[in-house]
Amino acid sequence: MKHILFFTSLIFLKCFFLSVKAEEALTIKQQLDRIQLEVSDLNRAVFNKSFDPNDNSQNISLDDTERFTSIDIRIYDLEKDIKNLTLQFEEVIFRLDDIANYIQKIETEFNSNLEDIKNNSKIQKKFTNSNDLTDISEIKEENTLGTLVLSEESSNISTVEQKNPDEETLDADQEINNLSSEEQLQFALDQMMKKNYDKSKSMLQKFILNFPENQLSGSAHFWLGKIYQFETNYRKAAIIFGEGVQKFPNSIKAAEMYYELAKSLKEMSKTSEACKTLDILNQNYNNTKFSKDPEKIKDSLKCNDLS
């Protein structure tokens, strides 16, 4: 509404100034027409020796001095009128300059006000968006206690409390501990197959501690040693394999643990110990494929030269 009133006022001012300008221009034109008529009269008077356009013989008897005096007076009046017109014209020019400056000032103020309105609108929009974000964050903070779950049976709303990572780990370990020994070992092997080696090592070590008399601990020793071998930690692998064959000589993995122990000792440059391990393997487990030395480790170690 304010903008409409401003534009209406601006148009009214322009129309008013234009009307004033037209009136002044009309007045100047009328005076110029009058001066033109005066000049025409003077022209006829000079050439016809009379100021009466209808009777050129009327003033023939006048003295030349009087005649030129009259002409001089008329010329003086014309000069005075021309000066007045010049002043009026200059005044009109000054007024037009003032009007132009005033209109330019109004336009500048209008553009400035319009820019302020735009900026205020942007600020108000940002403020509104900020309030919306604040409301959203407040809603999120209110929901930090948990997630609401609707029970289909009782149609009651209950709150499921969120748990921190430590509590979730404890719960997961508790669930694993509730499994049978076979299921726990299988879970540890699944982690190894998924390349979660650290998790698998941790579970195998716990299994060995929790089930020291279980024959499955022999298999746990074997797979734990294989992980260390994969990590090129041959010393740790040799220790695990050595413990496994000592504690669980009847394990289904006993022969293979002897063979992997020999391989680990070879990598440690323990040639003599590796050859002795292969001899024990051949003596106690001569019916297995590992006693036949499938990778020919004994030949590479040149164990026959040591005997």
Side-chain angles (χ1 to χ4, degrees):
M1 187 62 182
K2 292 181 179 180
H3 296 165
I4 295 174
L5 292 175
F6 176 78
F7 279 118
T8 305
S9 301
L10 185 61
I11 293 171
F12 175 75
L13 287 173
K14 286 187 176 181
C15 293
F16 174 74
F17 290 134
L18 289 175
S19 64
V20 171
K21 177 182 175 182
E23 290 178 359
E24 292 182 350
L26 181 60
T27 302
I28 294 173
K29 185 177 183 303
Q30 290 174 349
Q31 293 186 20
L32 287 173
D33 291 340
R34 181 180 60 79
I35 292 174
Q36 187 178 3
L37 291 175
E38 293 286 342
V39 172
S40 297
D41 290 343
L42 285 174
N43 186 45
R44 283 194 297 269
V46 170
F47 287 99
N48 297 326
K49 299 181 181 181
S50 175
F51 289 105
D52 187 358
N54 296 323
D55 187 6
N56 292 330
S57 62
Q58 180 178 357
N59 295 319
I60 296 176
S61 62
L62 292 176
D63 185 76
D64 290 339
T65 302
E66 293 179 357
R67 181 162 52 84
F68 284 110
T69 300
S70 299
I71 293 173
D72 186 60
I73 293 171
R74 295 291 298 278
I75 291 173
Y76 174 77
D77 292 337
L78 288 175
E79 289 179 350
K80 186 170 63 174
D81 291 339
I82 290 172
K83 288 181 180 180
N84 291 332
L85 287 175
T86 302
L87 292 174
Q88 292 180 11
F89 181 75
E90 291 178 353
E91 185 178 357
V92 170
I93 294 299
F94 289 143
R95 289 185 180 181
L96 289 175
D97 290 339
D98 292 339
I99 292 171
N101 293 332
Y102 183 70
I103 291 175
Q104 185 177 3
K105 181 180 178 182
I106 292 175
E107 289 179 352
T108 302
E109 292 179 356
F110 173 75
N111 292 331
S112 177
N113 293 333
L114 186 61
E115 190 67 24
D116 291 339
I117 292 172
K118 289 180 179 179
N119 293 334
N120 291 333
S121 178
K122 291 179 180 179
I123 293 172
Q124 183 65 28
K125 186 176 180 180
K126 289 182 179 179
F127 181 74
T128 303
N129 293 336
S130 176
N131 288 339
D132 293 340
L133 292 175
T134 303
D135 294 339
I136 293 172
S137 64
E138 289 178 354
I139 292 172
K140 289 182 178 180
E141 290 178 357
E142 291 176 357
N143 290 336
T144 54
L145 293 178
T147 304
L148 294 178
V149 178
L150 182 62
S151 175
E152 294 180 355
E153 296 179 356
S154 60
S155 299
N156 293 326
I157 296 177
S158 60
T159 302
V160 178
E161 294 183 355
Q162 296 180 352
K163 299 179 180 179
N164 58 43
D166 293 337
E167 292 178 348
E168 292 179 355
T169 303
L170 291 174
D171 290 344
D173 292 341
Q174 185 64 36
E175 290 179 1
I176 294 173
N177 292 333
N178 293 333
L179 299 175
S180 64
S181 58
E182 292 83 357
E183 291 173 336
Q184 290 186 37
L185 180 60
Q186 184 61 50
F187 190 82
L189 297 179
D190 290 340
Q191 295 301 312
M192 183 182 68
M193 296 300 294
K194 294 177 181 179
K195 298 183 180 181
N196 297 329
Y197 299 118
D198 290 338
K199 180 68 174 177
S200 181
K201 283 194 298 184
S202 176
M203 294 184 65
L204 289 170
Q205 289 169 351
K206 289 181 180 179
F207 185 91
I208 292 170
L209 292 175
N210 294 333
F211 302 97
E213 304 299 329
N214 194 322
Q215 286 297 315
L216 290 176
S217 291
S219 297
H221 276 84
F222 171 77
W223 290 113
L224 182 58
K226 290 292 288 184
I227 293 174
Y228 282 119
Q229 262 188 347
F230 177 76
E231 295 176 344
T232 66
N233 190 348
Y234 298 110
R235 180 179 179 279
K236 189 68 176 178
I239 293 174
I240 296 299
F241 288 134
E243 290 178 353
V245 294
Q246 287 179 1
K247 293 181 179 179
F248 304 97
N250 298 323
S251 172
I252 59 174
K253 290 292 185 181
E256 193 171 358
M257 276 193 287
Y258 270 111
Y259 196 71
E260 295 297 332
L261 174 58
K263 289 167 61 176
S264 298
L265 292 171
K266 176 188 174 184
E267 294 295 336
M268 296 169 63
S269 299
K270 301 287 186 180
T271 304
S272 177
E273 290 82 353
C275 290
K276 291 179 180 179
T277 300
L278 290 174
D279 289 339
I280 296 172
L281 171 62
N282 188 44
Q283 292 174 7
N284 297 333
Y285 306 95
N286 57 0
N287 294 326
T288 65
K289 66 177 182 178
F290 298 103
S291 64
K292 302 184 185 305
D293 192 7
E295 298 181 29
K296 304 302 179 183
I297 298 175
K298 194 170 186 178
D299 294 340
S300 64
L301 292 172
K302 299 180 180 181
C303 292
N304 293 330
D305 296 341
L306 296 176
S307 58

